[in-house]
Coordinates of all heavy atoms in Angstrom, one line a residue:
A384 N -229.5 -18.7 105.3 CA -229.8 -20.1 105.0 C -230.4 -20.2 103.6 O -230.1 -21.1 102.9 CB -230.9 -20.6 106.0
W385 N -231.2 -19.2 103.2 CA -231.7 -19.3 101.8 C -230.6 -19.1 100.8 O -230.6 -19.8 99.8 CB -232.8 -18.2 101.6 CG -233.4 -18.4 100.2 CD1 -234.3 -19.3 99.8 CD2 -233.0 -17.7 99.0 NE1 -234.6 -19.1 98.5 CE2 -233.8 -18.2 97.9 CE3 -232.1 -16.6 98.7 CZ2 -233.7 -17.7 96.7 CZ3 -232.0 -16.2 97.4 CH2 -232.8 -16.7 96.4
F386 N -229.6 -18.3 101.0 CA -228.5 -18.2 100.1 C -227.7 -19.4 100.0 O -227.2 -19.8 99.0 CB -227.6 -16.9 100.5 CG -228.2 -15.7 100.0 CD1 -228.5 -14.6 100.9 CD2 -228.4 -15.4 98.7 CE1 -229.0 -13.4 100.5 CE2 -228.9 -14.2 98.2 CZ -229.2 -13.2 99.1
A387 N -227.5 -20.1 101.2 CA -226.9 -21.5 101.1 C -227.7 -22.4 100.3 O -227.2 -23.2 99.5 CB -226.7 -22.0 102.5
H388 N -229.0 -22.4 100.4 CA -229.9 -23.2 99.6 C -229.7 -22.8 98.1 O -229.7 -23.7 97.2 CB -231.4 -23.0 100.1 CG -232.3 -23.9 99.4 ND1 -233.6 -23.9 99.6 CD2 -232.1 -24.9 98.4 CE1 -234.2 -24.9 98.9 NE2 -233.3 -25.5 98.2
L389 N -229.6 -21.5 97.8 CA -229.4 -21.1 96.5 C -228.1 -21.7 95.9 O -228.1 -22.1 94.7 CB -229.4 -19.6 96.4 CG -229.2 -18.9 95.0 CD1 -230.3 -19.3 94.0 CD2 -229.1 -17.4 95.2
R390 N -227.1 -21.6 96.7 CA -225.8 -22.2 96.2 C -225.9 -23.6 95.9 O -225.4 -24.2 94.9 CB -224.6 -22.0 97.2 CG -224.1 -20.5 97.2 CD -222.9 -20.4 98.1 NE -223.1 -20.8 99.5 CZ -223.6 -20.0 100.4 NH1 -223.9 -18.8 100.1 NH2 -223.7 -20.4 101.7
A391 N -226.6 -24.4 96.8 CA -226.8 -25.8 96.7 C -227.6 -26.1 95.4 O -227.3 -26.9 94.5 CB -227.5 -26.4 97.9
W392 N -228.7 -25.3 95.1 CA -229.5 -25.4 94.0 C -228.7 -25.2 92.7 O -228.8 -25.9 91.8 CB -230.7 -24.5 94.1 CG -231.5 -24.4 92.9 CD1 -232.6 -25.2 92.5 CD2 -231.4 -23.5 91.8 NE1 -233.1 -24.8 91.3 CE2 -232.4 -23.7 90.9 CE3 -230.5 -22.4 91.5 CZ2 -232.5 -23.0 89.7 CZ3 -230.6 -21.7 90.4 CH2 -231.6 -22.0 89.5
A393 N -227.9 -24.1 92.7 CA -227.1 -23.8 91.5 C -226.1 -24.8 91.2 O -226.0 -25.2 90.0 CB -226.4 -22.4 91.8
V394 N -225.4 -25.4 92.2 CA -224.5 -26.5 91.8 C -225.2 -27.8 91.5 O -224.9 -28.3 90.4 CB -223.6 -26.8 93.1 CG1 -222.8 -28.0 92.9 CG2 -222.7 -25.6 93.4
G395 N -226.2 -28.2 92.2 CA -227.0 -29.3 91.9 C -227.7 -29.3 90.6 O -227.6 -30.2 89.7
C396 N -228.4 -28.2 90.3 CA -229.0 -28.1 89.0 C -228.1 -27.8 87.8 O -228.3 -28.3 86.7 CB -230.1 -26.9 89.1 SG -231.5 -27.3 90.0
G397 N -226.9 -27.2 88.2 CA -225.9 -27.2 87.1 C -225.4 -28.5 86.7 O -225.2 -28.9 85.6
L398 N -225.2 -29.4 87.7 CA -224.8 -30.8 87.4 C -225.9 -31.6 86.7 O -225.6 -32.3 85.7 CB -224.4 -31.5 88.7 CG -223.2 -31.0 89.4 CD1 -223.0 -31.7 90.8 CD2 -222.0 -31.3 88.5
L399 N -227.1 -31.4 87.1 CA -228.2 -32.0 86.4 C -228.3 -31.5 85.0 O -228.4 -32.4 84.0 CB -229.6 -31.7 87.1 CG -229.8 -32.3 88.5 CD1 -231.0 -31.7 89.2 CD2 -230.0 -33.8 88.3
G400 N -228.1 -30.2 84.7 CA -228.1 -29.7 83.4 C -227.0 -30.2 82.5 O -227.1 -30.5 81.4
L401 N -225.8 -30.2 83.2 CA -224.6 -30.8 82.4 C -224.9 -32.3 82.0 O -224.5 -32.7 80.9 CB -223.4 -30.7 83.3 CG -222.7 -29.4 83.4 CD1 -221.5 -29.4 84.4 CD2 -222.1 -29.0 82.0
A402 N -225.4 -33.0 82.9 CA -225.7 -34.4 82.5 C -226.8 -34.5 81.5 O -226.7 -35.4 80.5 CB -226.3 -35.2 83.8
I403 N -227.8 -33.6 81.5 CA -228.8 -33.6 80.4 C -228.2 -33.3 79.1 O -228.4 -34.0 78.1 CB -229.9 -32.6 80.8 CG1 -230.7 -33.2 81.9 CG2 -230.8 -32.4 79.5 CD1 -231.7 -32.2 82.5
V404 N -227.3 -32.3 79.1 CA -226.6 -31.9 77.8 C -225.7 -33.0 77.4 O -225.6 -33.3 76.2 CB -225.9 -30.5 78.0 CG1 -224.9 -30.2 76.8 CG2 -226.9 -29.4 78.2
A405 N -224.9 -33.6 78.3 CA -223.9 -34.6 77.9 C -224.5 -35.8 77.4 O -224.1 -36.4 76.4 CB -223.0 -34.9 79.2
I406 N -225.7 -36.2 77.9 CA -226.4 -37.4 77.4 C -227.1 -37.1 76.1 O -227.1 -37.9 75.2 CB -227.4 -37.9 78.5 CG1 -226.6 -38.5 79.7 CG2 -228.3 -39.0 78.0 CD1 -227.4 -38.8 80.9
G407 N -227.7 -36.0 76.0 CA -228.3 -35.4 74.8 C -229.5 -36.2 74.3 O -229.8 -36.2 73.1
D408 N -230.2 -36.9 75.2 CA -231.4 -37.7 74.8 C -232.4 -37.5 75.9 O -232.3 -38.0 77.0 CB -231.0 -39.2 74.7 CG -232.2 -40.0 74.3 OD1 -233.3 -39.5 74.1 OD2 -232.0 -41.3 74.1
A409 N -233.5 -36.7 75.5 CA -234.5 -36.3 76.5 C -235.2 -37.5 77.1 O -235.6 -37.5 78.3 CB -235.5 -35.3 75.8
S410 N -235.3 -38.5 76.3 CA -236.0 -39.7 76.9 C -235.2 -40.4 78.0 O -235.7 -41.1 78.8 CB -236.3 -40.7 75.8 OG -235.1 -41.3 75.2
R411 N -233.9 -40.2 78.0 CA -233.0 -40.8 78.9 C -232.7 -39.9 80.2 O -232.1 -40.3 81.1 CB -231.7 -41.2 78.3 CG -231.8 -42.4 77.4 CD -230.5 -42.8 76.7 NE -229.3 -42.8 77.6 CZ -228.1 -42.5 77.4 NH1 -227.8 -42.1 76.1 NH2 -227.1 -42.6 78.2
T412 N -233.2 -38.7 80.1 CA -232.8 -37.7 81.1 C -234.1 -37.0 81.7 O -233.9 -36.1 82.5 CB -231.9 -36.6 80.6 OG1 -232.5 -35.9 79.5 CG2 -230.6 -37.2 80.1
E413 N -235.2 -37.6 81.5 CA -236.5 -37.0 82.0 C -236.5 -36.8 83.5 O -236.8 -35.7 84.0 CB -237.7 -37.8 81.6 CG -239.0 -37.2 82.0 CD -240.2 -38.0 81.5 OE1 -240.0 -38.9 80.7 OE2 -241.3 -37.6 81.9
V414 N -236.0 -37.9 84.3 CA -235.9 -37.7 85.8 C -235.0 -36.6 86.2 O -235.3 -35.9 87.2 CB -235.6 -39.1 86.4 CG1 -234.1 -39.4 86.2 CG2 -235.9 -39.1 87.8
L415 N -234.0 -36.3 85.5 CA -233.1 -35.3 85.9 C -233.8 -33.9 85.7 O -233.6 -33.0 86.6 CB -231.8 -35.3 85.0 CG -231.0 -36.6 85.0 CD1 -229.8 -36.5 84.2 CD2 -230.6 -36.9 86.6
L416 N -234.5 -33.7 84.6 CA -235.2 -32.4 84.3 C -236.2 -32.3 85.4 O -236.5 -31.2 85.9 CB -235.7 -32.4 82.9 CG -236.5 -31.1 82.5 CD1 -235.5 -29.9 82.7 CD2 -237.0 -31.2 81.1
N417 N -237.0 -33.3 85.6 CA -238.1 -33.2 86.7 C -237.5 -32.9 88.1 O -238.2 -32.2 88.8 CB -238.8 -34.5 86.7 CG -239.7 -34.7 85.5 OD1 -240.0 -33.7 84.7 ND2 -240.1 -35.9 85.2
T418 N -236.4 -33.4 88.4 CA -235.7 -33.1 89.7 C -235.3 -31.6 89.7 O -235.6 -31.0 90.7 CB -234.5 -34.0 89.9 OG1 -234.9 -35.4 89.9 CG2 -233.8 -33.6 91.2
A419 N -234.8 -31.1 88.6 CA -234.4 -29.7 88.6 C -235.6 -28.8 88.7 O -235.7 -27.8 89.4 CB -233.7 -29.4 87.3
R420 N -236.8 -29.2 88.1 CA -238.0 -28.4 88.2 C -238.5 -28.4 89.6 O -239.0 -27.4 90.2 CB -239.1 -29.0 87.3 CG -238.8 -28.7 85.8 CD -239.9 -29.3 84.9 NE -239.6 -29.1 83.5 CZ -240.0 -29.9 82.5 NH1 -240.6 -31.0 82.7 NH2 -239.8 -29.5 81.3
L421 N -238.6 -29.6 90.2 CA -239.1 -29.7 91.6 C -238.3 -28.9 92.6 O -238.7 -28.2 93.4 CB -239.1 -31.2 92.0 CG -239.6 -31.5 93.5 CD1 -241.0 -30.9 93.7 CD2 -239.6 -33.0 93.8
W422 N -236.9 -29.1 92.4 CA -236.0 -28.4 93.3 C -236.2 -26.9 93.1 O -236.1 -26.1 94.1 CB -234.5 -28.8 93.1 CG -233.6 -28.4 94.2 CD1 -233.9 -27.7 95.3 CD2 -232.3 -28.8 94.3 NE1 -232.7 -27.6 96.1 CE2 -231.7 -28.2 95.4 CE3 -231.4 -29.5 93.4 CZ2 -230.4 -28.4 95.8 CZ3 -230.1 -29.6 93.7 CH2 -229.6 -29.1 94.9
T423 N -236.4 -26.4 91.9 CA -236.6 -25.0 91.7 C -237.8 -24.5 92.4 O -237.8 -23.4 93.0 CB -236.7 -24.7 90.1 OG1 -235.5 -25.1 89.5 CG2 -236.9 -23.2 89.9
L424 N -238.9 -25.3 92.3 CA -240.1 -24.9 93.1 C -239.9 -24.9 94.6 O -240.3 -23.9 95.2 CB -241.2 -25.9 92.8 CG -242.6 -25.8 93.5 CD1 -243.2 -24.4 93.1 CD2 -243.4 -27.0 93.3
V425 N -239.1 -25.8 95.1 CA -238.8 -25.8 96.5 C -238.0 -24.6 96.9 O -238.2 -23.9 97.9 CB -238.1 -27.1 96.9 CG1 -237.5 -27.0 98.4 CG2 -239.0 -28.3 96.8
L426 N -237.0 -24.2 96.1 CA -236.2 -23.1 96.3 C -237.1 -21.8 96.3 O -236.9 -20.9 97.2 CB -235.1 -22.9 95.2 CG -234.2 -21.7 95.3 CD1 -233.2 -21.9 96.5 CD2 -233.4 -21.5 94.0
V427 N -238.0 -21.6 95.4 CA -238.9 -20.4 95.3 C -239.7 -20.4 96.6 O -239.8 -19.3 97.2 CB -239.7 -20.5 94.1 CG1 -240.8 -19.5 94.1 CG2 -238.9 -20.3 92.8
I428 N -240.3 -21.5 97.0 CA -241.1 -21.5 98.2 C -240.2 -21.2 99.5 O -240.7 -20.3 100.3 CB -241.8 -22.9 98.4 CG1 -242.9 -23.1 97.3 CG2 -242.4 -23.0 99.8 CD1 -243.4 -24.5 97.2
D429 N -239.1 -21.8 99.5 CA -238.1 -21.5 100.6 C -237.8 -19.9 100.6 O -237.7 -19.3 101.6 CB -236.9 -22.3 100.5 CG -235.9 -22.1 101.7 OD1 -236.3 -21.7 102.8 OD2 -234.7 -22.3 101.5
G430 N -237.6 -19.4 99.4 CA -237.2 -18.0 99.3 C -238.4 -17.1 99.8 O -238.2 -16.1 100.4
I431 N -239.6 -17.4 99.4 CA -240.7 -16.7 99.9 C -240.9 -16.7 101.3 O -241.1 -15.7 102.0 CB -242.0 -17.2 99.2 CG1 -242.1 -16.9 97.7 CG2 -243.3 -16.6 99.9 CD1 -243.1 -17.6 96.9
I432 N -240.7 -17.9 102.0 CA -240.8 -17.9 103.4 C -239.6 -17.1 104.1 O -239.8 -16.4 105.0 CB -240.8 -19.4 103.9 CG1 -242.1 -20.0 103.4 CG2 -240.7 -19.5 105.3 CD1 -242.2 -21.6 103.5
S433 N -238.4 -17.5 103.6 CA -237.2 -16.8 104.2 C -237.2 -15.3 104.0 O -236.9 -14.6 105.1 CB -235.9 -17.4 103.5 OG -235.8 -18.8 103.8
W434 N -237.5 -14.8 102.9 CA -237.5 -13.4 102.7 C -238.7 -12.7 103.4 O -238.7 -11.5 103.6 CB -237.4 -13.1 101.2 CG -236.0 -13.3 100.8 CD1 -235.5 -14.5 100.3 CD2 -234.9 -12.4 100.7 NE1 -234.2 -14.3 100.0 CE2 -233.8 -13.1 100.2 CE3 -234.8 -11.0 101.1 CZ2 -232.5 -12.4 100.1 CZ3 -233.5 -10.4 100.9 CH2 -232.4 -11.1 100.4
S435 N -239.7 -13.4 103.7 CA -240.9 -12.8 104.3 C -240.5 -12.3 105.7 O -241.2 -11.3 106.1 CB -242.1 -13.8 104.4 OG -241.8 -14.8 105.4
Y436 N -239.5 -12.9 106.3 CA -239.1 -12.4 107.6 C -238.4 -11.1 107.6 O -238.3 -10.3 108.5 CB -238.2 -13.4 108.3 CG -239.0 -14.7 108.7 CD1 -238.7 -15.9 108.1 CD2 -240.0 -14.7 109.6 CE1 -239.4 -17.1 108.4 CE2 -240.7 -15.8 110.0 CZ -240.3 -17.0 109.3 OH -241.0 -18.2 109.7

Side-chain angles (χ1 to χ4, degrees):
W385 185 81
F386 280 119
H388 187 180
L389 178 63
R390 283 189 302 276
W392 172 88
V394 170
C396 284
L398 291 170
L399 291 168
L401 282 173
I403 291 167
V404 170
I406 293 170
D408 180 357
S410 66
R411 289 178 47 214
T412 59
E413 184 178 350
V414 71
L415 302 180
L416 182 59
N417 289 340
T418 299
R420 287 178 179 153
L421 177 60
W422 197 357
T423 301
L424 176 64
V425 170
L426 178 72
V427 168
I428 292 169
D429 184 27
I431 291 168
I432 293 167
S433 297
W434 286 86
S435 73
Y436 293 112

